[in-house]
Amino acid sequence: MQLAQATVLITGANRGIGLAFAREALARGARRVYAAARDPASVSLPGVYPIALDVTDPEQVARAARDCGDVDVLINNAGIAATGGFLDDPTLETTRRQFETNFFGMLRMAQAFGPVLARNGGGAMLNVLSIASWINRPLLGTYGASKSAAWALTNGLRHELRAQGTQVSALHMGFVDTDLTRGIEMPKSTPEAIVRAALDGLEAGVLEILADEATRQVRQSLASDSPAYLAPL
């Protein structure tokens, strides 16, 4: 799926990885880029079309699908993260909130825009996941669970949308230097490096895009007798 002359919608496009996606889509010659955010006034990148979209709001998702009927590339980037493991959330409020955005929000977007992509020839959907889809530690335990669920969703959507010609790709990466990871002292990639790898993979038809070396190592370990998710802290 080539970005040149494509119409792209990016969720969570006002900052971080989403903003980098918008910049790179424009640089690759996208015909139109919809930059979706809860507050469209927070989108300041010249050349994009800001739209109001909270992926946890079914009415806003449905309206976006009606108003943006020319989309042929959907980038499901919106996501939230909270630190803490499963035993740190006794009310389950933090866990539910992350699942509402990271899993159910992605599902709502797929349900709403699947028919849009079909009408426009199939196109592509890129779901922004994480190394935490495969490896879970107490620092981001409940977040990791939401990304594991989103990976399963992505794998299922790939089969459900194949008949209409939609390419469904997953993007996995480790820590990225954005507001989301502020205060976490770990090696981090730049948003620009992750987005370049993501869109190179999307254009090449790669279905599981591994955007950094740490993610490639973890993914490779899953087929070994010592998978990374079993390694002690």
Side-chain angles (χ1 to χ4, degrees), residues 39-189:
D39 177 9
S42 65
V43 177
S44 58
L45 179 64
V48 302
Y49 293 78
I51 64 169
L53 177 59
D54 179 348
V55 299
T56 70
D57 185 327
E59 292 184 3
Q60 288 193 23
V61 171
R63 183 172 65 242
R66 291 193 303 270
D67 293 347
C68 305
D70 53 347
V71 168
D72 50 17
V73 176
L74 171 64
I75 300 178
N76 283 315
N77 167 74
I80 61 172
T83 57
F86 298 104
L87 304 184
D88 296 328
D89 186 23
T91 67
L92 303 184
E93 180 179 350
T94 300
T95 302
R96 288 193 178 96
R97 185 164 54 87
Q98 290 177 100
F99 267 81
E100 189 60 38
T101 297
N102 300 347
F103 175 79
F104 289 109
M106 187 179 290
L107 175 55
R108 286 189 188 93
M109 290 296 294
Q111 289 175 334
F113 277 89
V116 174
L117 297 176
R119 289 195 299 271
N120 294 327
M125 181 185 303
L126 176 64
N127 290 345
V128 177
L129 304 179
S130 172
I131 196 173
S133 304
W134 303 315
I135 186 170
N136 193 294
R137 294 291 185 267
L139 176 65
L140 292 168
T142 54
Y143 169 80
S146 74
K147 289 298 185 177
S148 295
W151 182 46
L153 169 62
T154 302
N155 293 334
L157 289 171
R158 187 174 297 124
H159 296 296
E160 292 189 34
L161 297 177
R162 180 175 288 121
Q164 69 178 43
T166 299
Q167 172 187 326
V168 179
S169 294
L171 170 63
H172 301 269
M173 68 283 191
F175 290 106
V176 184
D177 190 12
T178 67
D179 291 346
L180 204 67
T181 63
R182 183 176 295 150
I184 297 177
E185 296 300 323
M186 296 287 284
K188 299 173 185 177
S189 301

Side-chain angles (χ1 to χ4, degrees), residues 2-16:
Q2 297 304 301
L3 273 291
Q5 297 305 307
T7 299
V8 184
L9 188 149
I10 305 156
T11 63
N14 58 323
R15 62 180 183 170

